[in-house]
Amino acid sequence: MPLDLLLARHGQTDLNIDERWQGRLDWPLNATGQAQAAALAQALPPGIEVLIASPQRRARETAEAVAAARGLDVQFDDAFRERDFGIFEGLTSEEARVQHPAWWAANAAYRWDLCPPGAEPTRAVVNRVAAGLAALRQRHAGRTVLLVSHGFVVRCLRYLIDGLPDAAFFEAARIPNGGFIRRRVD
């Protein structure tokens, strides 16, 4: 039986405002993010049976707002934590360009086989997320599942579920903070 999967991105943090690489930095939701989480809880369709989230604070806080509004329990899964962006973490694009010009010029954050020092390679993230998706399919086939995670993780899931070519991986539009999309996973 297919899995009905709702993919939500966490609400806004202060790092999102400045468009900083957030990665493994564990920032809380700001006031806008809290409002986005409350709005997400109202915007989601009925019938959600399982709520899973990244354990990182911004995803956890978003999921907990949905859980409180919908009477659900949250299960946390490390497979869906955000990518570690290494030396780019906490930086804006301009700061990364100035502080790490060679890595910036190589477009290291947006390549399959190259990454900034200390970062988790794209293929490793995709493999981690793929293992998490396979486990979701196995445990929750035939159910409606909400997964609250992060921008890069949603990118990985869309790549895996939609069967995107490698070349389209980095081109897919991000969903906004507090937004969601729905996918059927066979």
Side-chain angles (χ1 to χ4, degrees), residues 8-186:
R9 185 175 176 209
H10 62 80
Q12 184 186 78
T13 70
D14 288 345
L15 294 181
N16 291 128
I17 293 171
D18 296 334
E19 295 187 12
R20 294 179 180 278
W21 274 284
Q22 201 159 189
R24 296 293 175 87
L25 299 176
D26 211 15
W27 281 67
L29 298 179
N30 60 22
T32 297
Q34 292 169 357
Q36 289 170 334
L40 174 66
Q42 299 306 311
L44 289 163
I48 296 169
E49 300 167 87
V50 179
L51 174 52
I52 297 173
S54 158
Q56 288 176 268
R57 187 172 178 182
R58 58 196 182 269
R60 186 177 72 239
E61 289 177 354
T62 302
E64 287 168 348
V66 172
R70 296 292 183 104
L72 296 166
D73 292 322
V74 184
Q75 302 169 35
F76 299 101
D77 191 330
D78 282 338
F80 303 110
R81 68 189 185 282
E82 182 61 293
R83 177 186 183 192
D84 185 333
F85 288 99
I87 60 172
F88 285 2
E89 295 237 338
L91 303 179
T92 64
S93 293
E94 180 60 18
E95 290 167 346
R97 185 187 66 74
V98 170
Q99 293 178 32
H100 308 288
W103 292 106
W104 181 258
N107 199 26
Y110 300 106
R111 303 279 292 276
W112 278 98
D113 298 309
L114 181 67
C115 63
E120 187 178 13
T122 297
R123 288 190 196 280
V125 180
V126 170
N127 290 339
R128 170 170 54 81
V129 171
L133 180 60
L136 283 183
R137 281 185 190 135
Q138 185 177 29
R139 286 193 313 264
H140 303 295
R143 300 177 85 188
T144 300
V145 175
L146 171 63
L147 173 59
V148 179
S149 64
H150 309 272
F152 201 87
V153 173
V154 172
R155 183 180 298 271
C156 293
L157 288 161
R158 290 170 70 184
Y159 168 79
L160 294 163
I161 296 166
D162 296 347
L164 298 177
D166 287 1
F169 182 86
F170 293 104
E171 297 170 4
R174 290 188 306 182
I175 65 171
N177 289 110
F180 76 95
I181 58 175
R182 191 174 208 157
R183 292 294 188 268
R184 176 186 161 125
V185 183
D186 292 315

